Amino acid sequence: MQAIQVLNGIGYFGTDTGSGIRIVNLANPAQPTPITRILPTQGLFTIVHSLTADGKGHLFVPHYPADSQVQVWNVSNPAAPFLQTTLVGTDTDSVHDVTVKNNKLIMAGWGGQTDIWDITNLDTTGAIRLGSFNSGVNTQDCSMTDDEQYVACPRELSNGDVGIFNVSNPASVTRVSTLTQPGFGIAASSPSTSKIMGKLLFVAWYQAGLAIFDISDPAN
């Protein structure tokens, strides 16, 4: 298992070995029930390194490490998923992960170019790219504050850091701070996945375990 998402009692389990995405009913966690499986023979990417469900019937699957395509699978009926559309990011390398917050979609570019999309009308007129910004090479993922004003983007590389950006104007994003390992006395090879919950930023930071930051003031 490489990619896992559980939402509304449904689990989505992806692998990067070509066996697709398994969709499982987890309403009773003690008795998981397989619903169906999405396979490469249906058009799914062979490698599923990450996936994101938005709770509105969509499953986003980046084509990492091949390119910047992101497939949107319609899973409104989990028993009959279908490929709805494919979005293409601006990163010249690939999209490593996708984050959804309300009607915003963030594509974390592995080459350092991260895109912000409006997916309000994804099912009708489609997604609209609002802007892009340089988050730094090897951007692992991005997480957004509840007010959609800031995003945090860890970079998965030796002595990597976490950039915090003001995205209130997606067409003109600015960096407000950078969390570095020396700055916080963190001894580890790299930060990895991040999650923002309320005023707290959680970062899985390799050998240092879970680092938790107060971002009440994102600039400090």
Side-chain angles (χ1 to χ4, degrees), residues 132-165:
S132 304
F133 65 97
N134 185 357
S135 55
V137 66
N138 288 31
T139 296
Q140 163 78 5
D141 75 339
C142 292
S143 50
M144 179 175 266
T145 55
D146 292 337
D147 60 9
E148 302 179 19
Q149 300 297 296
Y150 298 91
V151 297
C153 302
R155 298 194 303 139
E156 190 178 31
L157 76 170
S158 180
N159 295 319
D161 51 35
V162 181
I164 299 181
F165 301 86

Side-chain angles (χ1 to χ4, degrees), residues 3-220:
I4 295 176
Q5 175 94 59
V6 177
L7 197 62
N8 299 330
I10 303 293
Y12 305 90
F13 303 88
T15 72
D16 55 9
T17 56
S19 59
I21 298 172
R22 290 171 170 81
I23 303 178
V24 182
N25 187 327
L26 299 175
N28 180 356
Q31 293 183 322
T33 305
I35 298 174
T36 191
R37 187 160 57 153
I38 307 174
L39 294 166
T41 54
Q42 298 167 262
L44 179 70
F45 300 137
T46 302
I47 294 177
V48 179
H49 189 76
S50 64
L51 52 78
T52 301
D54 67 355
K56 299 177 181 179
H58 308 108
L59 189 66
F60 300 88
V61 184
H63 197 198
Y64 177 83
D67 55 42
S68 290
Q69 296 184 79
V70 175
Q71 289 184 340
V72 183
W73 286 82
N74 190 304
V75 291
S76 53
N77 177 0
F82 63 90
L83 181 58
Q84 180 171 324
T85 188
T86 299
L87 306 177
V88 181
T90 62
D91 192 90
T92 56
D93 186 312
S94 59
V95 172
H96 187 271
D97 202 355
V98 166
T99 300
V100 175
K101 172 71 73 171
N102 300 324
N103 290 316
K104 294 285 176 58
L105 171 73
I106 305 173
M107 293 182 181
W110 191 241
Q113 193 72 7
T114 291
D115 301 324
I116 303 174
W117 297 69
D118 183 340
I119 55 172
T120 303
N121 300 311
L122 181 60
D123 292 329
T124 53
T125 57
I128 300 173
R129 187 170 62 84
L130 301 175
S132 304
F133 65 97
N134 185 357
S135 55
V137 66
N138 288 31
T139 296
Q140 163 78 5
D141 75 339
C142 292
S143 50
M144 179 175 266
T145 55
D146 292 337
D147 60 9
E148 302 179 19
Q149 300 297 296
Y150 298 91
V151 297
C153 302
R155 298 194 303 139
E156 190 178 31
L157 76 170
S158 180
N159 295 319
D161 51 35
V162 181
I164 299 181
F165 301 86
N166 185 324
V167 296
S168 55
N169 178 3
S172 182
V173 174
T174 58
R175 181 188 290 264
V176 298
S177 61
T178 303
L179 310 179
T180 66
Q181 296 186 170
F184 287 89
I186 297 173
S189 58
S190 173
S192 184
T193 311
S194 68
K195 297 290 181 186
I196 293 176
M197 299 176 66
K199 298 298 183 181
L200 297 178
L201 166 64
F202 299 81
V203 182
W205 213 303
Y206 275 55
Q207 299 92 338
L210 182 65
I212 306 172
F213 302 89
D214 183 336
I215 57 168
S216 299
D217 177 5
N220 181 26

